[in-house]
Amino acid sequence: MDTMSMNNSCIMRIPPLYSTVRVNTMKIGIHQAKERMEILLSEQYKAKENKKPEVSIHWCLNDVLVLTGSGPHQKEPFPTEIYVDKKCGKSVLRGADIYSAGILGSNRWFAKGSDVSVYMDLEGKCRLGWKRAYDKRKLFLGNGVIAISRDSLFKTKLMKKEPEMGVVMTAGVWNHPKLYGIVEDWGFPQNLPSIICTHVLNPQPGEEILDLCAAPGGKTTHIATLTKDQARVVAVDDCSKRLQELKENAKKLNLKSIEPHLTDAVKLVNKIPVGFNIPENGFDRILLDAPCSGYGQRPLFYNFHENPKCNNAFPPLQRRLFRTAVRLLKPGGTLVYSTCTLNKYENEGIVLWALEEFPELHLTEQDPHMGKRGEAASGLEMIQKFDPTDFCTRHVNNGGDMKINCLNDFNAETVDHWDRSSALSVDSDTIGFFIAKFFKRG
């Protein structure tokens, strides 16, 4: 792998510097939300070693709070090691504590209340109930206090009880606040490009709006909020568990205009189910945040360029969903297509296919447009891309000193990095994301 590829891979392996919270402006004003967030973080950081993140209001979006994190920080590991899987580890890197369900094992016996160091298993070879030092590749995530005894931990797992709090993180290598579960009914933790995506859709009161792959409801609830809960927001998903999350999020935010439907969106192209109550060409606006490979998520601990199969796995499904969306969109309506991947076959490839397949569609300008534009030569200058790896390329090409190594030894303590807060803004240090906005001619 060349130096540029290593740098690009590395930026994907670390969390964005910034966390963002979308404010429920129907419940609370942005300035009041900022004050409330500062109080919550002051309380949360009483038990943490790292400095409390700075809270600010986004320079352009008046419903977004920005929390500026930091890292990596040098931390001295404790003798007792706790091993977690990748899913859990990635959440810890974004500020989460650890529930018992995410713990695989430890190198020694521990008692409740012990100081522990947390490591993420990078090879997937640490088995549940591990009782010795793990000598495969692992990533040090930071230190915390174990909130459950070892005996209770594995009894809980074996008896399939509800997960308990496992480790309260007190000193993360990457300093980000815990957000889920603390903002209640006035905010929603959400990646900035996802928030921008709904603003690009620009939903209006009184409209018929469809969110085709809606669960767990981040964008759906944003649509309802932007319309002041005065539109008809139809939310479709084929996963009952995730749709239940959507319902709970809507209830928590006190939104009444959302109509959840458990159905396969692909099948809507042939038959609209009973109770759906929408004819063909019935929606003013449609959001298709399509299922994708997820190769824009951060932190990301695998390289999709090494797996050619990923180029062909999702586009067939995305095209079928797109057909459904076009069928259900009114002439004169707006369709926004988005993914959280950097895979061009799922992004530009789908857009070029759609423009050829549906002559009634054309790309239109996006507002706000904070990401990178597409290639004008291909007719894609109006798309919007958030690509963290693009910063690495531009920074090096402009003579910048790229000071981020590739975690080759998977030890976060050794990561050298540039001053990200001065070199990167909240609009560029994001997850990878893609947005295309279409207008359907009458």
Side-chain angles (χ1 to χ4, degrees):
M1 185 181 292
D2 59 29
T3 301
M4 185 61 65
S5 297
M6 288 174 65
N7 287 330
N8 288 349
S9 174
C10 188
I11 191 70
M12 299 305 295
R13 294 183 180 187
I14 61 177
L17 180 67
Y18 305 92
S19 301
T20 46
V21 174
R22 173 172 57 81
V23 174
N24 180 7
T25 51
M26 293 180 59
K27 177 77 175 181
I28 190 173
I30 188 69
H31 293 283
Q32 186 181 356
K34 179 177 180 291
E35 293 174 2
R36 189 173 293 187
M37 178 61 74
E38 287 173 339
I39 292 171
L40 288 171
L41 292 185
S42 294
E43 186 65 27
Q44 182 181 139
Y45 272 74
K46 285 180 179 178
K48 293 183 180 290
E49 291 182 13
N50 293 328
K51 183 180 178 182
K52 181 186 73 171
E54 178 185 345
V55 182
S56 60
I57 299 170
H58 190 272
W59 66 273
C60 177
L61 302 175
N62 61 6
D63 60 350
V64 177
L65 292 179
V66 178
L67 286 66
T68 304
S70 59
H73 297 279
Q74 295 280 352
K75 302 296 177 185
E76 186 68 30
F78 291 115
T80 302
E81 299 179 357
I82 298 293
Y83 308 122
V84 301
D85 58 27
K86 280 187 181 180
K87 181 179 179 181
C88 177
K90 289 189 286 186
S91 296
V92 173
L93 287 169
R94 295 296 298 263
D97 289 325
I98 301 171
Y99 281 89
S100 57
I103 298 176
L104 298 171
S106 63
N107 66 333
R108 58 199 293 177
W109 182 88
F110 55 80
K112 182 178 179 180
S114 301
D115 292 324
V116 297
S117 290
V118 179
Y119 294 82
M120 177 168 61
D121 170 23
L122 290 163
E123 295 192 6
K125 295 181 179 179
C126 184
R127 298 293 178 246
L128 184 63
W130 196 272
K131 296 181 180 180
R132 60 186 184 276
Y134 184 65
D135 58 2
K136 305 298 182 183
R137 291 192 304 168
K138 58 190 178 186
L139 178 64
F140 177 48
L141 304 178
N143 297 325
V145 176
I146 193 79
I148 187 172
S149 70
R150 183 180 174 90
D151 291 341
S152 297
L153 169 66
F154 292 107
K155 283 181 181 178
T156 297
K157 286 176 172 287
L158 290 172
M159 297 176 69
K160 298 183 179 180
K161 293 182 179 179
E162 284 295 314
E164 302 177 40
M165 179 55 65
V167 179
V168 177
M169 297 299 296
T170 57
V173 170
W174 297 94
N175 177 32
H176 293 283
K178 176 184 176 182
L179 293 175
Y180 286 95
I182 73 164
V183 291
E184 300 174 341
D185 60 346
W186 60 268
F188 195 95
Q190 196 169 10
N191 289 305
L192 183 66
S194 296
I195 299 172
I196 291 172
C197 181
T198 311
H199 278 289
V200 167
L201 183 67
N202 193 28
Q204 299 297 314
E207 291 183 331
E208 302 269 358
I209 304 167
L210 173 63
D211 189 349
L212 258 185
C213 302
K219 298 179 185 67
T220 312
T221 54
H222 195 192
I223 290 170
T225 302
L226 289 176
T227 60
K228 302 186 185 305
D229 215 19
Q230 294 177 11
R232 183 183 181 214
V233 184
V234 178
V236 172
D237 206 275
D238 63 355
C239 177
S240 58
K241 182 178 180 181
R242 284 167 56 83
L243 196 67
Q244 183 59 37
E245 289 183 58
L246 184 150
K247 294 176 183 178
E248 291 170 359
N249 284 325
K251 182 178 180 181
K252 180 180 69 174
L253 297 170
N254 195 31
L255 297 169
K256 310 295 186 184
S257 60
I258 297 172
E259 299 179 16
H261 289 267
L262 180 63
T263 190
D264 183 352
V266 170
K267 295 179 179 178
L268 294 178
V269 75
N270 297 316
K271 181 180 179 181
I272 297 175
V274 176
F276 201 77
N277 193 27
I278 282 293
E280 290 186 30
N281 304 320
F283 287 98
D284 299 286
R285 299 178 198 269
I286 296 178
L287 173 61
L288 173 52
D289 185 45
C292 68
S293 56
Y295 293 131
Q297 294 291 352
R298 291 173 62 193
L300 184 72
F301 290 95
Y302 47 90
N303 186 354
F304 75 89
H305 295 294
E306 298 172 357
N307 181 11
K309 291 183 179 179
C310 75
N311 296 337
N312 302 316
F314 284 92
L317 172 60
Q318 291 158 349
R319 287 192 289 268
R320 291 197 296 270
L321 288 166
F322 207 103
R323 290 184 186 279
T324 297
V326 174
R327 176 188 174 186
L328 297 177
L329 185 65
K330 285 181 179 179
T334 296
L335 166 61
V336 169
Y337 173 81
S338 64
T339 72
C340 58
T341 185
L342 300 178
N343 185 359
K344 64 181 180 180
Y345 296 94
E346 302 174 62
N347 296 337
E348 291 91 340
I350 293 295
V351 172
L352 291 171
W353 165 82
L355 293 173
E356 182 176 350
E357 185 77 8
F358 305 103
E360 67 271 31
L361 294 183
H362 69 84
L363 288 171
T364 186
E365 282 288 354
Q366 301 182 32
D367 182 23
H369 201 301
M370 299 177 190
K372 179 184 176 183
R373 288 184 174 271
E375 296 180 2
S378 302
L380 300 178
E381 65 272 18
M382 285 186 274
I383 65 172
Q384 182 167 194
K385 297 171 63 177
F386 295 86
D387 185 351
T389 68
D390 180 61
F391 172 80
C392 298
T393 305
R394 288 185 289 108
H395 193 62
V396 172
N397 288 346
N398 290 337
D401 182 15
M402 176 54 65
K403 295 181 178 178
I404 182 163
N405 70 38
C406 201
L407 297 178
N408 285 329
D409 56 1
F410 294 94
N411 185 341
E413 296 165 296
T414 69
V415 177
D416 190 11
H417 67 110
W418 69 89
D419 181 3
R420 292 166 70 195
S421 60
S422 63
L424 290 171
S425 73
V426 63
D427 303 329
S428 57
D429 194 0
T430 68
I431 64 168
F433 205 84
F434 178 89
I435 308 172
K437 184 177 182 179
F438 299 86
F439 176 80
K440 184 178 181 181
R441 298 181 184 91

